[in-house]
Amino acid sequence: MRRRLGLVLTAAALAVVMPVTSVVADPRDDKSEVDERVKELQQEFEGLDEDLARVIAERDAAQEKLPDAEAESKAADDALAEAIEKDEGMAARLTSAENAQKDLKDTIKSGTEEIDKHKTSAARIGRQAYQNSGITSDLAMLLQMAEGTSADGGIGRVDSAVRSQQRTIDKLSEQRALNKNNEERLSGVTEKISDLKDEAAEAVLAKEAAQVDAKKKADSLNDLISAKDDAEKTISDNKDKTEKQLADEKAEQDRLAEKVREWEKEQEKKGKFVFGDGVLANPAKGYPTTSPFGYRVHPITGARKLHTGMDFGVPCGTPIRSAGDGIVVTSGWTGGYGNRVVISHGKIKGKSIASTYNHNTKLKVHDGQRVKKGDIISYSGTTGASTGCHLHFEIMENGGYVDPKPFIF
């Protein structure tokens, strides 16, 4: 009864524990994590399409989860192999015990037949002894034979006959003892078989649970690999298009840098440079920086790309103010940078400084207009290659892009 109760409890435990073992989730199902990564990617890489950003986020999540999924799948496979080995071992032990049980039953049956044979012989001896006042007819016959021979020879034959009859009785006793011993062994083997059957049933349950768990872990791993492979194919398919977009953006930046350099040279020759107080202000004060200046590896092309300015998380329609006194070099549409304003601030510490304000929804200044620090020059937006409302702010030093942070903080 105790073994049966143990089997029930084991089965219940397996049923509860096995289905809730850890399974690494498909990144496409972890929406909140992916959404956050999409937001980060679009802040880091202006103009990155949301669908592509999501594909990249899913690929990154899959790559991050793969090592754990592989480890869990291997652990599940190892557990399954161990369960199978135990199941096979229990089956072999049970078969061996059942074979031993059969052999003992056969031996006991043969011994019982032998006992019956000796009992029949012993019963015949007893009847003869009774009929001959304790001396068997065979023995009486032997005594008669002995009377007609020498004393030594006759007595010897009688002694031999008595010993023969005694051996029959001894064999009966021995066989009974042997059968009793075999029956005790059979009882032990039968009890052992009962225990082994319970253990074998537990081993089968454990093996089946391990098979279910191993399949779940393998499916989870395959889902991650599929998600990663699908994402990488999509990324690969969009590589050429993205490279062209980035090349166009760089060409636009190079054209602007050349235009600013030429404009500054021309203004310097004419003596029209505006000299401010040498200090620039934050054009979007009070709003967070969502993406800093600097190089980063593009998630589609794999190439290092310079983020030429700082991004501020300002809502669409927020007033954007000039960082300092200056002259508007250009104000208008510029492709991927949308509605852009470029202001030259003249010389600061001997270097020509200009600032740019990109992705505006509305422009408030025109080319050649003089502005003062803090004047509203535009309203923020998401025009051009932009994926959300923000201000992309740049500082150009002698016609090259530098980190704006030291100038405005």
Side-chain angles (χ1 to χ4, degrees), residues 178-191:
L178 181 60
N179 259 31
K180 182 179 180 182
N181 180 58
N182 285 335
E183 285 171 353
E184 289 175 354
R185 289 174 59 196
L186 177 61
S187 176
V189 169
T190 301
E191 184 177 349

Side-chain angles (χ1 to χ4, degrees), residues 306-327:
L306 176 64
H307 184 241
T308 54
M310 294 178 66
D311 290 345
F312 291 92
V314 297
C316 283
T318 301
I320 303 300
R321 301 177 184 275
S322 175
D325 297 350
I327 299 174

Side-chain angles (χ1 to χ4, degrees), residues 78-98 196 199-208 211:
D78 290 345
L80 175 57
E82 183 179 344
I84 290 173
E85 183 179 0
K86 184 174 181 180
D87 177 50
E88 291 174 348
M90 290 305 306
R93 289 174 63 192
L94 181 58
T95 298
S96 177
E98 288 174 338
L196 285 174
E199 291 181 33
E202 292 175 5
V204 169
L205 286 175
K207 181 183 75 171
E208 290 174 349
Q211 286 171 332

